[in-house]
Amino acid sequence: MIVKNLTDIHPLNQPKQAVNVIKVAPITPDWELGVHHHASGQLMATISGLITLSTDIGIWIIPPKTAIWIPANMQHSATGIGISTCYIVFTSEEQLSHHNCQIIHTNDLFTQLLKRAETMNQNYSSNSPDSRLISVLIDEICHAPPQELYLPLPTDKRLKVLTDTLLHQPDLKISLVKCAEQCHMSERSLTRIFKRETSLSIHDWRRRLHIILALQMLNDRNNITYIANKLGYVSESSFITMFKKVMKYSPKKFMIKYLNEDTENLNHS
């Protein structure tokens, strides 16, 4: 099945087989889909563009060659950056072990399986070639390597004041002392509770935020100078060093490998 708008995918319209694959054709750039949920578990695999997904507990970014597993009945919203194309796999919760959202890496075999599954007659019989293909697809989902393109959000209201500030002002340079003052906590308590709630230090959380925002800006074809300035880095080289430390690739090489973009607009590698 192919749809041209994510809003056309409604739980009541989903086929009732255990696994269903839908292709979302290229749609209007920079779309937003408000908070919703599905009765089935859902895997969203990005083919082109960039998709971000938000829940009460975090923000995930899904570039091409990655996918996100969304458990059944989890409230979430989604945003597309650029002209986005994706596959969506609906499957019963019992078939996958992930109980939280999880980003996974997808390979060429995975993409070809999605393409083939999307064209199948959904009324396939058990032990048929189509059912065996679906079994391989599920195996690929279950055993795909995880990715860390995820920004956890704290539930503590005091910490949310801080993270909301950084989300809206990512270039803000704020010391641990000032962070603690804003949260009305001691530095020691802030450090301990922030780590407990997000599994990251404040420094690593900010760096993860910068990676997510940088990927969005790279997908919008902004150059390194612009991105470094928007995120508050003193130089392009310091931003590139941070990006390579987290992503294992320079911005230019990441664009080539994952976003399949022409990198002429990037003035540094």
Side-chain angles (χ1 to χ4, degrees), residues 215-226:
L215 289 174
Q216 293 174 343
M217 287 186 274
L218 285 169
N219 193 70
D220 280 342
R221 299 178 178 270
N222 291 297
N223 62 35
I224 298 298
T225 302
Y226 174 87

Side-chain angles (χ1 to χ4, degrees), residues 203-269:
H203 172 75
D204 288 341
W205 190 92
R206 290 188 68 197
R207 188 164 60 177
R208 188 81 64 86
L209 169 64
H210 286 175
I211 289 294
I212 287 176
L213 295 176
L215 289 174
Q216 293 174 343
M217 287 186 274
L218 285 169
N219 193 70
D220 280 342
R221 299 178 178 270
N222 291 297
N223 62 35
I224 298 298
T225 302
Y226 174 87
I227 296 171
N229 288 337
K230 289 290 288 185
L231 297 179
Y233 286 83
V234 296
S235 66
E236 298 163 15
S237 60
S238 62
F239 164 73
I240 293 171
T241 298
M242 181 280 297
F243 192 97
K244 288 179 70 173
K245 187 172 184 179
V246 176
M247 303 302 296
K248 313 304 180 187
Y249 297 96
S250 68
K252 180 178 179 179
K253 289 181 178 178
F254 186 91
M255 288 282 285
I256 293 171
K257 183 174 178 64
Y258 289 101
L259 301 183
N260 298 316
E261 290 286 347
D262 182 357
T263 58
E264 291 182 0
N265 66 310
L266 298 180
N267 52 0
H268 285 275
S269 62

Side-chain angles (χ1 to χ4, degrees), residues 160-179:
K160 286 185 72 67
V161 172
L162 174 61
T163 55
D164 285 349
T165 297
L166 296 175
L167 284 167
H168 289 94
Q169 297 177 266
D171 60 335
L172 182 66
K173 295 178 175 63
I174 183 170
S175 66
L176 181 61
V177 173
K178 291 295 184 182
C179 289

Side-chain angles (χ1 to χ4, degrees), residues 21 45 47 87 106-120 133-134 136-137 140:
V21 179
I47 304 302
Y87 284 94
T106 61
N107 55 27
D108 291 339
L109 171 61
F110 186 90
T111 302
Q112 292 304 316
L113 289 169
L114 289 175
K115 288 181 179 179
R116 175 67 182 86
E118 181 270 317
T119 63
M120 287 177 4
L133 182 143
I134 291 296
V136 175
L137 175 60
E140 286 293 307

Side-chain angles (χ1 to χ4, degrees), residues 181-214:
E181 290 177 357
Q182 185 176 25
C183 295
H184 304 288
M185 304 167 71
S186 68
E187 295 173 48
R188 184 175 180 179
S189 293
L190 173 60
T191 301
R192 175 175 53 81
I193 297 174
F194 197 95
K195 180 76 171 181
R196 184 186 68 200
E197 292 233 344
T198 67
S199 299
L200 295 170
S201 68
I202 295 175
H203 172 75
D204 288 341
W205 190 92
R206 290 188 68 197
R207 188 164 60 177
R208 188 81 64 86
L209 169 64
H210 286 175
I211 289 294
I212 287 176
L213 295 176

